[in-house]
């Protein structure tokens, strides 16, 4: 934990990175930090307790300050990292433009982790979750084989929903739904995004999508023109042989299965999401985005 504290500077990016690092500090490191602070406090408390009133000069005020500061730090660490973070709220840094313009790169959001302890995600919710391991880059996988990053996307389909995209139009349970939050953009640096003109959008927003059953599994089938789940359109796990893709295009769409959710980014042509890596299990859901809190100029509720 101390290395994270040492990273703090006046730079906006470093402030964001420091806060994000602290928010992700493993509980094991928090426990070591708390135990170290407690041990130092006990060492300091002994001479304080045994110092007579008329001898409380010299180094005594400094030791008293250290004792009280460590006391506050220990209580704060326990309260924030062992109660608030696991059960209530947590801050997250937005690392990509997949949710532009709802969320911008380097926005910091507050996620409500309690809400999904008492309810389930609903279509339209902006959700923080752990992605499937096949949906991330190799350097985003930890030593335990699990992703060490979190994704944030919009929930498009809940269990039992039949989700289809036809010629770029979204349908839920056979009814076309409006998506005023969806944008199509271009970018040169993956940080700054420019919204495309209506004519340009019309030329690229022609993809199809559905969930299909294949070899006993519900998989995403994303089609653009004559191509479905090619290496350019999908993650390796779901790349299909052309003959399989042709058969699956003719199959009916299936519903989101129990215990799973379909997530997509608002920046529809610049988002790696459920169209490419599939469904998110319920136990991978972390929380619901409630607000942007930093930078302060962008403070707003998210929806």
């Amino acid at each position: 934990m101390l290395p994270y504290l040492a990273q703090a500077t006046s730079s906006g990016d470093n402030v964001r990175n420091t806060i994000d690092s602290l928010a992700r500090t493993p509980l094991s490191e928090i426990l070591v930090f708390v135990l170290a602070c407690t041990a130092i406090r006990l060492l300091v408390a002994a001479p304080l307790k045994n110092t007579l009133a008329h001898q409380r000069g010299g180094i005594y005020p400094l030791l008293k300050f250290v004792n009280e500061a460590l006391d506050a730090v220990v209580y704060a660490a326990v309260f924030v990292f062992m109660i608030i973070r696991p059960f209530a709220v947590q801050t997250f840094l937005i690392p990509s433009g997949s949710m532009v313009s709802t969320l911008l790169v380097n926005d910091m959001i507050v996620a409500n982790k309690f809400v999904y302890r008492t309810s389930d995600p609903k279509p339209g919710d902006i959700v923080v979750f752990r992605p499937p391991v096949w949906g991330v880059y190799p350097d985003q996988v930890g030593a335990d084989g699990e992703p060490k990053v979190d994704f944030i996307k919009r929930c498009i389909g809940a269990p039992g929903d039949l989700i289809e995209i036809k010629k770029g139009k979204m349908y839920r349970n056979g009814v076309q739904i409006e998506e005023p939050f969806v944008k199509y953009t271009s970018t040169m640096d993956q940080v700054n995004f420019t919204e495309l003109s209506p004519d340009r959008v019309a030329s690229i927003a022609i993809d199809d999508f559905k969930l299909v059953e294949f070899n006993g599994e519900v998989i995403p089938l994303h089609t653009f023109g004559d191509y479905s789940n090619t290496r350019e359109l999908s993650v390796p796990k779901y790349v299909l042989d052309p003959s399989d893709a042709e058969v699956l295009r003719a199959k009916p769409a299936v519903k989101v299965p129990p215990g799973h959710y379909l997530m997509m980014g608002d920046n529809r042509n610049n988002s790696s999401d459920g169209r490419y890596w599939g469904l998110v299990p319920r136990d991978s859901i972390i929380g619901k985005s409630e607000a942007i809190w930093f930078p302060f100029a962008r403070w707003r509720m998210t929806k």
Side-chain angles (χ1 to χ4, degrees):
M1 186 171 181
L2 289 176
Y4 300 136
L5 293 173
Q7 293 171 7
T9 75
S10 59
S11 163
D13 286 344
N14 282 328
V15 169
R16 290 185 181 91
N17 291 333
T18 298
I19 293 171
D20 188 55
S21 295
L22 284 170
R24 296 172 181 276
T25 304
L27 186 57
S28 58
E29 293 185 22
I30 298 298
L31 289 173
V32 170
F33 179 75
V34 167
L35 290 173
C37 289
T38 301
I40 296 171
R41 181 173 175 269
L42 291 174
L43 289 173
V44 171
L48 287 178
K49 182 179 179 181
N50 296 325
T51 302
L52 300 176
H54 67 279
Q55 296 176 330
R56 293 176 182 177
I59 199 173
Y60 181 89
L62 176 61
L63 292 177
K64 183 179 180 182
F65 171 79
V66 170
N67 180 66
E68 293 175 350
L70 289 174
D71 194 37
V73 166
V74 168
Y75 281 113
V78 170
F79 182 68
V80 171
F81 290 97
M82 299 182 187
I83 298 176
I84 296 297
R85 187 178 73 171
F87 303 107
V89 298
Q90 184 175 341
T91 185
F92 291 89
L93 175 67
I94 305 302
S96 76
S98 69
M99 287 295 291
V100 167
S101 58
T102 306
L103 300 172
L104 304 183
V105 177
N106 289 327
D107 279 349
M108 299 205 74
I109 64 155
V110 173
N112 182 339
K113 301 176 80 170
F114 178 76
V115 64
Y116 292 146
R117 291 181 177 274
T118 58
S119 64
D120 292 317
K122 302 184 296 295
D125 287 358
I126 299 175
V127 180
V128 181
F129 57 93
R130 290 180 295 276
V133 68
W134 55 84
V136 301
Y137 294 110
D139 62 354
Q140 295 176 317
V141 179
D144 60 356
E146 295 297 322
K148 58 182 181 180
V149 296
D150 302 311
F151 280 7
I152 179 165
K153 311 284 183 187
R154 193 178 296 271
C155 179
I156 299 298
D161 283 336
L162 184 68
I163 302 297
E164 298 176 274
I165 297 177
K166 301 177 181 179
K167 302 301 180 185
K169 303 296 184 182
M170 179 70 69
Y171 292 83
R172 182 182 296 118
N173 300 322
V175 178
Q176 183 179 342
I177 60 173
E178 297 298 321
E179 296 185 292
F181 42 78
V182 166
K183 305 295 180 186
Y184 288 82
T185 69
S186 63
T187 180
M188 296 294 291
D189 57 11
Q190 298 300 316
V191 174
N192 300 292
F193 293 82
T194 302
E195 192 168 348
L196 298 178
S197 68
D199 288 344
R200 179 64 177 140
V201 171
S203 71
I204 65 172
I206 56 174
D207 55 332
D208 293 340
F209 169 82
K210 60 184 177 181
L211 295 170
V212 294
E213 287 189 9
F214 182 63
N215 291 337
E217 182 183 2
V218 175
I219 72 166
L221 185 70
H222 182 234
T223 301
F224 192 87
D226 296 327
Y227 302 97
S228 298
N229 287 32
T230 63
R231 195 162 299 279
E232 290 73 24
L233 291 178
S234 190
V235 299
K237 176 179 171 66
Y238 293 124
V239 170
L240 297 170
D241 181 273
S243 60
D244 289 329
E246 184 176 356
V247 170
L248 293 177
R249 282 197 296 270
K251 293 185 67 172
V254 299
K255 296 179 180 180
V256 178
H260 291 78
Y261 294 82
L262 179 63
M263 309 291 185
M264 295 185 192
D266 289 357
N267 190 0
R268 200 52 58 86
N269 67 315
N270 274 293
S271 172
S272 172
D273 53 37
R275 293 169 294 168
Y276 309 102
W277 42 250
L279 299 166
V280 177
R282 177 63 177 86
D283 58 10
S284 293
I285 302 293
I286 295 173
K288 177 184 177 184
S289 174
E290 295 288 3
I292 301 168
W293 71 271
F294 190 85
F296 301 129
R298 278 188 45 77
W299 188 96
R300 67 199 65 189
M301 304 303 290
T302 53
K303 60 181 181 178

